[in-house]
Amino acid sequence: MTFLFTQENLKLAQIALEKYPSERKRSAVMELLWIAQRQNQNWIPKEAITYIANFLDMPEVRVYEVVTFYSMYNLKPVGKYFIQACGTTPCVLMGSEEVMQAIKDELSIEDKGTTKDSLFSLLEV
């Protein structure tokens, strides 16, 4: 699989780059990843990471570090409706475990799972 920005997304990427001095173009990495993810049905394939690294003239591992640090990026396909439920201590104190269990029961999926029809994915964040 080869990844390239569409013409429309290439224009968006150029606009993102214009926000930063040329010597700081790597600062656009998050916005370019977001563009790539939207272009690819809400997930980022390895080829997009390579493409963005080359586009920004930065090591591929640095782009991968950003992707894996933030929960807003997906490295595998997710459902059309992507549910992210808070699992932090304050959220648990307010009942997030019960909400998470209700979602699991209703959709018959587990955390990090996707329904068989690929409509819903669930992730505790």
Side-chain angles (χ1 to χ4, degrees), residues 32-83:
L32 269 57
L33 285 166
W34 190 249
I35 293 167
Q37 181 166 279
R38 280 195 330 256
Q39 177 177 312
N40 200 58
Q41 292 77 49
N42 205 26
W43 72 284
I44 301 171
K46 166 133 179 26
E47 294 81 5
I49 292 171
T50 302
Y51 177 79
I52 290 169
N54 290 332
F55 195 90
L56 296 174
D57 191 32
M58 65 189 290
E60 196 172 319
V61 69
R62 296 290 180 230
V63 178
Y64 184 77
E65 287 172 342
V66 173
V67 171
T68 56
F69 181 79
Y70 293 99
S71 62
M72 63 192 267
Y73 301 118
N74 306 306
L75 285 172
K76 64 178 188 169
V78 294
K80 181 177 180 181
Y81 304 104
F82 188 32
I83 303 166

Side-chain angles (χ1 to χ4, degrees), residues 62-120:
R62 296 290 180 230
V63 178
Y64 184 77
E65 287 172 342
V66 173
V67 171
T68 56
F69 181 79
Y70 293 99
S71 62
M72 63 192 267
Y73 301 118
N74 306 306
L75 285 172
K76 64 178 188 169
V78 294
K80 181 177 180 181
Y81 304 104
F82 188 32
I83 303 166
Q84 295 184 0
C86 177
T88 65
T89 301
C91 292
V92 170
L93 291 173
M94 295 304 296
S96 68
E97 288 177 323
E98 291 84 2
V99 172
M100 188 76 156
Q101 191 58 52
I103 295 168
K104 290 177 182 180
D105 293 345
E106 180 66 27
L107 298 176
S108 299
I109 58 174
E110 292 300 317
D111 183 30
K112 301 180 185 134
T114 301
T115 57
K116 291 178 184 175
D117 60 7
S118 295
L119 280 178
F120 296 93

